[in-house]
Amino acid sequence: MKKNTFIAISLAAVISLTPAFTTNVSADVNTDIQNQDKKINDIKSKKTDLQSDLSGLVADLEKAQEKAKSLQGDFDQTGKELKKLNEDIKSINERIKERETVLKDRARAMQKTSNSNAYLEVILEAENLSDLVGRVSAVNQLVESDKTILEDQQNDEKALKTKQTAVKKKQEEQATAIHEYETEQNKIEAQKAEKEAIVAQLASEQATAENEKAGLVNAAKAASERATALRAATSSNVGESNSSSSKKTSTTVEAASNDAAPTNVAPSSGGGYSSMMAAASAQLGKPYSLGASGPSAFDCSGFTSYAFRAAGVSLPRTSGGQYAAASKISASQAKPGDLVFFNYGSGIAHVGIYVGGGQMINAQNNGVKYDNITSGYWAKYLVGYGRVANF
């Protein structure tokens, strides 16, 4: 008790003897508060500007998605047009064959009676010279008419095939445009992630100023890492070293694909993999639609997200995001259940599920299918593999 009293008296004495010190400390604290308030206001101002930028990026992303959906609609319409042309070509070929059969039968009949006898019958049965000229003219016209009809049908077939080639080229151009807009979306997503990372960093600084730093620092770090990974996913040379050996000489636009499960594939074990693959294979044959995540239609990342969700695994929504989230592995390490990524030249723009045996199941322009990734179209753009779950 005496000791505490002594300390209190001593402190009072010190304070009473140093009023200037107390005033200076108070002034310093006020200055610090003012500086901190200014810092917080500056941070808030920067955050407001960045939020405005983010709103613009969201608007750009929505425009890109709408454009891509429009392109997808054009692609689907061209597919219907191509299907109709194929049917018309098949029909006209059947008519040509039928007409050729009639001509051959008529020629055989003429051979049996011999041409001279046939014309002799025409002459003998004619009632007069005028009738004879008419009969000969009719036979010649009939033969010439058959020949003209056959030539017209062949010309029609040629015209249809020319149009078929043009429509196929148009469809290839549309598929390329869809790929470009998918890549553009990933780029906007990366820019958006970079802005979000800066906003998160500013929020962390504001939280530090307001004594709420801990949670937001981790969020800022995670956002920064995600932005870095997404930025890497949009690089034109992403995975270049991993995929150079896979890019063979292939120029066809359509990958060899089918709806049947590949054979001689050693499946991964575990209920998670089985659940994921059951969900994936159940979607075979369903159509592709940009931005769709099932269950009636899918785009590439919507399909992988849907399948892995059945195994309790949540994936980012875009192919670039999934690439950023995946642990990169080599081709020799890849096993069924890993993701496989592709780069058309401007960053990650397609993803599928590796099922082993050099094949994947994926949602591509022609719908949900199995595709070979070791040769042909997909091998040309293969980047590498990523693991998002340990099945």
Side-chain angles (χ1 to χ4, degrees):
M1 179 67 181
K2 289 182 180 180
K3 183 177 181 182
N4 290 339
T5 302
F6 174 75
I7 293 173
I9 293 172
S10 299
L11 286 173
V14 170
I15 293 173
S16 65
L17 290 173
T18 57
F21 172 80
T22 304
T23 302
N24 290 337
V25 169
S26 177
D28 289 342
V29 169
N30 287 334
T31 299
D32 290 342
I33 291 174
Q34 290 173 357
N35 290 337
Q36 199 69 6
D37 286 340
K38 183 178 183 301
K39 180 179 180 180
I40 291 171
N41 289 333
D42 288 342
I43 290 172
K44 287 181 177 179
S45 177
K46 291 178 181 178
K47 284 173 63 181
T48 299
D49 292 339
L50 285 168
Q51 291 290 357
S52 178
D53 293 342
L54 283 170
S55 296
L57 287 172
V58 170
D60 291 342
L61 183 60
E62 290 175 351
K63 289 178 182 178
Q65 289 172 340
E66 286 300 317
K67 179 63 177 177
K69 287 180 180 178
S70 176
L71 288 169
Q72 182 65 44
D74 292 341
F75 181 89
D76 294 341
Q77 184 60 40
T78 303
K80 293 177 182 178
E81 185 178 350
L82 189 59
K83 181 179 179 181
K84 178 65 167 56
L85 282 171
N86 290 335
E87 292 172 351
D88 290 344
I89 290 172
K90 180 180 179 182
S91 176
I92 202 167
N93 279 330
E94 290 173 352
R95 291 200 300 272
I96 289 172
K97 289 180 180 178
E98 290 172 358
R99 195 67 186 178
E100 286 176 341
T101 300
V102 170
L103 291 175
K104 288 177 181 178
D105 290 342
R106 193 171 290 163
R108 291 192 190 97
M110 294 286 286
Q111 288 176 353
K112 287 180 180 179
T113 59
S114 81
N115 289 340
S116 58
N117 291 339
Y119 279 101
L120 183 60
E121 287 181 15
V122 171
I123 293 171
L124 294 176
E125 292 177 1
E127 296 179 359
N128 50 50
L129 181 59
S130 177
D131 185 29
L132 173 63
V133 172
R135 286 169 175 265
V136 172
S137 177
V139 171
N140 289 336
Q141 286 178 0
L142 180 61
V143 173
E144 190 64 30
S145 175
D146 287 338
K147 181 181 178 183
T148 300
I149 291 173
L150 186 59
E151 288 175 349
D152 289 343
Q153 288 177 335
Q154 289 172 337
N155 289 335
D156 289 343
E157 181 191 24
K158 184 178 179 181
L160 284 173
K161 287 185 176 179
T162 299
K163 188 174 181 181
Q164 180 191 48
T165 300
V167 171
K168 282 184 176 180
K169 183 178 179 181
K170 180 180 178 182
Q171 193 176 48
E172 290 174 1
E173 292 172 350
Q174 289 171 338
T176 299
I178 290 173
H179 291 331
E180 289 174 353
Y181 270 91
E182 288 175 340
T183 302
E184 182 65 21
Q185 288 180 65
N186 276 333
K187 286 184 177 180
I188 294 173
E189 286 279 8
Q191 293 174 23
K192 181 170 170 282
E194 288 176 352
K195 298 288 185 184
E196 288 172 342
I198 297 173
V199 169
Q201 181 61 42
L202 290 173
S204 175
E205 293 173 4
Q206 182 180 344
T208 300
E210 295 173 349
N211 209 18
E212 296 176 354
K213 178 180 179 180
L216 292 175
V217 165
N218 291 332
K221 181 180 178 182
S224 180
E225 291 174 347
R226 179 170 177 267
T228 299
L230 280 171
R231 185 166 56 249
T234 64
S235 171
S236 61
N237 61 356
V238 58
E240 193 169 74
S241 61
N242 293 334
S243 62
S244 58
S245 62
S246 301
K247 296 183 178 180
K248 307 298 182 183
T249 55
S250 172
T251 57
T252 180
V253 169
E254 289 185 10
S257 58
N258 54 70
D259 293 334
T263 58
N264 300 324
V265 173
S268 292
S269 59
Y273 175 78
S274 298
S275 298
M276 183 273 293
M277 279 304 299
S281 58
Q283 314 313 313
L284 283 169
K286 290 188 177 179
Y288 176 95
S289 181
L290 188 66
S293 54
S296 58
F298 299 87
D299 66 7
C300 63
S301 54
F303 171 72
T304 51
S305 297
Y306 182 92
F308 275 83
R309 195 178 304 122
V313 179
S314 178
L315 297 181
R317 183 56 187 81
T318 65
S319 56
Q322 292 179 13
Y323 180 81
S327 298
K328 311 307 180 291
I329 55 176
S330 66
S332 61
Q333 294 172 318
K335 64 179 183 179
D338 290 331
L339 295 179
V340 58
F341 299 94
F342 303 85
N343 172 11
Y344 300 119
S346 299
I348 298 300
H350 188 69
V351 61
I353 301 172
Y354 185 63
V355 296
Q359 299 205 38
M360 68 172 174
I361 184 171
N362 70 127
Q364 46 129 303
N365 290 123
N366 293 316
V368 178
K369 295 178 176 294
Y370 284 100
D371 284 302
N372 189 322
I373 61 175
T374 60
S375 63
Y377 177 76
W378 293 110
K380 181 179 179 182
Y381 301 109
L382 176 63
V383 168
Y385 305 81
R387 184 162 296 159
V388 292
N390 290 316
F391 291 128

